[in-house]
Amino acid sequence: MSSKAQSSNNLAHARRTVQQLRIEASIERIKVSKASADLMNYCSEHARNDPLLMGIPASDNPFKDKKPCNIL
Amino acid sequence: MRSPRVPEMATQEVQPNETLTHLKTESDTLKTKLEEERAKLHDVELHQVAEKVDGLGQFIMKTRRTLKGHGNKVLCMDWCKDKRRIVSSSQDGKVIVWDAFTTNKEHAVTMPCTWVMACAYAPSGCAVACGGLDNKCSVYPLSLDKNENLAAKKKSVAMHTNYLSACSFTNSDMQILTSSGDGTCALWDVESGQLLQSFHGHAADVLCLDLAPSETGNTFVSGGCDKKANVWDMRSGQCIQSFETHESDINSVRYYPSGDAFASGSDDATCRLYDLRADREVAIYSKESIIFGVSSVDFSLSGRLLFGGYNDYTINVWDVLKGTRVSILFGHENRVSTLRVSPDGTAFCTGSWDHTLRVWA
C-alpha cells in the first residue's frame, strides 16, 4: 500500500473513532445510586417468581420430579 | 493554532498528517471527557446500596438430568421456549435436540464441519440454527417425522469470512443475529439469506452476543477478544455504548432481565455487571481463589442470581446485588463451555468439554 493510501486509511479510521466517541460522550447518564436502586427494585419485585432463587417444591418442578412425567 | 509556514509544494504532503494529529487530540480529549462524565455520576457502589437487602440463604442445587450422546466437547446449547427441549452443538460436528425432561434425543444433524460453536432454537420451536468453522449460520426446520433427513432441508443464511461464534433468532423465526471471528456482527433475513445490517467496531474476534429483552427495544450487546463489550442499535448499525474494563477476552454477555444492565464473563476470571443508564461497570464478581476463565453467564429470572460456568469445571453462583458468591457447584469433568437458564427459570443447563450436558435445579 502506498504511503498516501495508508495515511488516508489512518485518517478514515481516526475520523470514525472521533465520530464514535462523540456519540458515546453525548448520551445521557444517571447516577449509580439511582441505577442501583432500580436494579434492587427489579430484583425484589420479581423475587417471588424466581424458582431458582426461592426454591420451589419438587412436586412443582418438572426437573426435580424423579417419577415418570405425566404430560397433561 | 496557525500551522507553521511551509513551502507550497510540501503542503499537500503535510496536511493529512496534521489532520491526523488533530483527530488524535480530539479523540484523546473525548475519551478523557467520557471518563470524567462517568466518574461524576459514580456516587456510590452497588454493593453498598445493597447492604440493606436481605442476604441469601443456602442454595441446594444439584444435577437433575445428564444428557449423554455427544462424541466430543459440547460447545453451545439453547433452550426451546417450551421450557423442556434443548438444542446442543459439539466439536464432533453434531447438533442434537433433546427432551430435557426424559433425556431422549429427538433429532440429530451432522454438520459438514467440526467445531459447531453456535446453536440457537427458533422462537416457534420449529427450527434450529447452527454454525461454526464453516463460517456460516444454517437453519434446519425440525420435522415431526423422525425418519426425515433434516440435513436435506438445511438453509444457509449467514456467511462470514471467519468462524461463527454465536447466533440468535430475534423475536421471530424470520431474522438471525450472528457474531464472528471476522470481527463483525450481522443481522440476516432467514428466508432470503439477505444481509440486513452489519455491525463494525470490534477490533478483533467477536465471541458472544445477546439481544435485549423485547420490551426494551432494538438493541443487542456483543463481547470480543478486544476486551470490549459493545451495545448496538439494530436498525442503524451504530455502536451506541462501549465498555472496556475486562482484562482479557469476553466470552459471554447476557442482559439483566429488565434490560437496563448486562453481565459479562471473561478469560480474566471475572464476571462484571454494566449498567446501561449509568453507562459504567457497577460490579465485579471475583475471588482470589478463582483463577480460571468464565466461559458463559446467565441470570436467574429476577436477576438476583448470576450463574457462571468456568474453565475449572465449576459453576459459581453470585449474588448480583451484594457481589458475593453464594454457591459453587461441582459435577462436570471438564470445562463448562455453555450455560443457560430455562425460559421459566425452573432450572439451568450447562454444556461441557466432558461431552455431556447437565440440567441443574
Side-chain angles (χ1 to χ4, degrees):
Chain A
M1 200 185 277
S2 74
S3 66
K4 267 249 179 79
Q6 182 130 41
S7 61
S8 67
N9 251 355
N10 289 342
L11 206 58
H13 185 258
R15 277 206 194 101
R16 275 197 303 271
T17 307
V18 167
Q19 223 162 342
Q20 181 59 38
L21 285 168
R22 277 193 196 137
I23 291 171
E24 290 177 29
S26 67
I27 69 164
E28 286 188 24
R29 296 174 190 83
I30 64 172
K31 287 191 180 171
V32 175
S33 51
K34 168 87 173 86
S36 301
D38 288 348
L39 290 173
M40 278 166 52
N41 282 339
Y42 188 92
C43 279
S44 63
E45 271 167 38
H46 293 84
R48 74 190 104 98
N49 297 325
D50 185 343
L52 286 168
L53 183 67
M54 304 311 283
I56 60 176
S59 50
D60 291 347
N61 189 327
F63 290 107
K64 283 187 181 170
D65 191 357
K66 289 213 171 86
K67 303 193 209 93
C69 293
N70 292 319
I71 311 299
L72 300 165
Chain B
M1 193 177 86
R2 289 191 58 174
S3 50
R5 284 184 171 276
V6 286
E8 193 59 46
M9 242 174 60
T11 308
Q12 302 300 330
E13 300 290 314
V14 172
Q15 275 196 338
N17 282 336
E18 281 187 280
T19 322
L20 201 61
T21 317
H22 255 143
L23 288 170
K24 181 79 175 66
T25 312
E26 189 179 355
S27 155
D28 289 339
T29 311
L30 284 167
K31 278 186 190 159
T32 310
K33 183 182 174 207
L34 247 177
E35 277 162 37
E36 282 170 4
E37 292 299 311
R38 282 171 168 168
K40 271 186 209 165
L41 299 162
H42 189 196
D43 53 345
V44 76
E45 296 292 336
L46 170 60
H47 65 83
Q48 289 170 313
V49 177
E51 264 160 31
K52 52 189 167 178
V53 174
D54 285 342
L56 298 172
Q58 280 276 46
F59 282 93
I60 302 171
M61 277 176 224
K62 296 196 288 196
T63 301
R64 306 289 174 171
R65 298 288 190 279
T66 304
L67 306 179
K68 294 184 186 177
H70 277 296
N72 212 322
K73 307 176 173 68
V74 177
L75 303 175
C76 189
M77 59 79 42
D78 191 20
W79 287 90
C80 179
K81 282 208 160 69
D82 72 0
K83 313 156 216 166
R84 68 183 283 171
R85 280 173 183 80
I86 284 174
V87 63
S88 63
S89 64
S90 164
Q91 186 193 342
D92 68 0
K94 290 224 173 30
V95 174
I96 299 178
V97 176
W98 315 76
D99 176 332
F101 288 0
T102 63
T103 74
N104 289 339
K105 298 177 201 41
E106 296 199 337
H107 302 274
V109 179
T110 303
M111 293 280 285
C113 66
T114 55
W115 289 90
V116 189
M117 297 161 186
C119 63
Y121 231 114
S124 68
C126 298
V128 292
C130 53
L133 284 187
D134 58 352
N135 299 358
K136 296 187 202 167
C137 184
S138 306
V139 175
Y140 292 84
L142 294 176
S143 166
L144 288 169
D145 177 358
K146 301 277 156 77
N147 293 323
E148 194 170 355
N149 180 10
L150 288 183
K153 295 243 168 112
K154 160 178 160 179
K155 191 189 296 235
S156 261
V157 175
M159 271 293 264
H160 279 280
T161 54
N162 208 326
Y163 65 88
L164 187 84
S165 54
C167 61
S168 175
F169 284 85
T170 59
N171 51 18
S172 81
D173 283 21
M174 303 283 82
Q175 292 180 355
I176 284 187
L177 192 58
T178 57
S179 64
S180 168
D182 66 14
T184 71
C185 299
L187 182 66
W188 310 82
D189 177 273
V190 173
E191 191 57 47
S192 63
Q194 200 193 346
L195 174 67
L196 298 172
Q197 185 62 263
S198 67
F199 305 88
H200 297 259
H202 278 288
D205 305 18
V206 188
L207 299 177
C208 52
L209 60 84
D210 192 37
L211 275 138
S214 39
E215 311 78 51
T216 38
N218 290 311
T219 60
F220 73 95
V221 60
S222 64
C225 291
D226 58 358
K227 312 175 203 170
K228 284 195 187 165
N230 290 341
V231 181
W232 307 86
D233 179 317
M234 278 171 69
R235 290 204 195 99
S236 67
Q238 185 69 50
C239 172
I240 50 185
Q241 281 172 279
S242 186
F243 304 90
E244 194 175 351
T245 62
H246 271 294
E247 294 168 16
S248 188
D249 299 2
I250 298 178
N251 298 313
S252 175
V253 286
R254 194 75 69 210
Y255 270 92
Y256 185 80
S258 71
D260 287 336
F262 69 90
S264 58
S266 163
D267 275 352
D268 68 9
T270 71
C271 303
R272 297 179 195 233
L273 186 69
Y274 299 90
D275 188 288
L276 294 170
R277 295 178 309 148
D279 188 38
R280 63 175 298 121
E281 175 192 290
V282 293
I284 305 182
Y285 307 99
S286 67
K287 273 176 104 71
E288 269 187 40
S289 54
I290 301 175
I291 56 171
F292 283 82
V294 189
S295 64
S296 59
V297 296
D298 202 356
F299 287 99
S300 70
L301 229 53
S302 66
R304 183 67 193 270
L305 299 176
L306 180 69
F307 299 96
Y310 288 69
N311 292 343
D312 64 2
Y313 316 175
T314 67
I315 294 135
N316 286 299
V317 187
W318 302 91
D319 180 329
V320 169
L321 302 178
K322 291 189 182 284
T324 52
R325 179 176 66 184
V326 297
S327 196
I328 177 167
L329 303 174
F330 302 95
H332 277 297
E333 294 166 14
N334 207 320
R335 285 195 190 191
V336 178
S337 54
T338 180
L339 185 157
R340 297 293 297 255
V341 172
S342 72
D344 62 353
T346 51
F348 68 92
C349 179
T350 51
S352 166
W353 281 17
D354 70 7
H355 307 188
T356 71
L357 292 112
R358 284 170 181 251
V359 180
W360 309 74

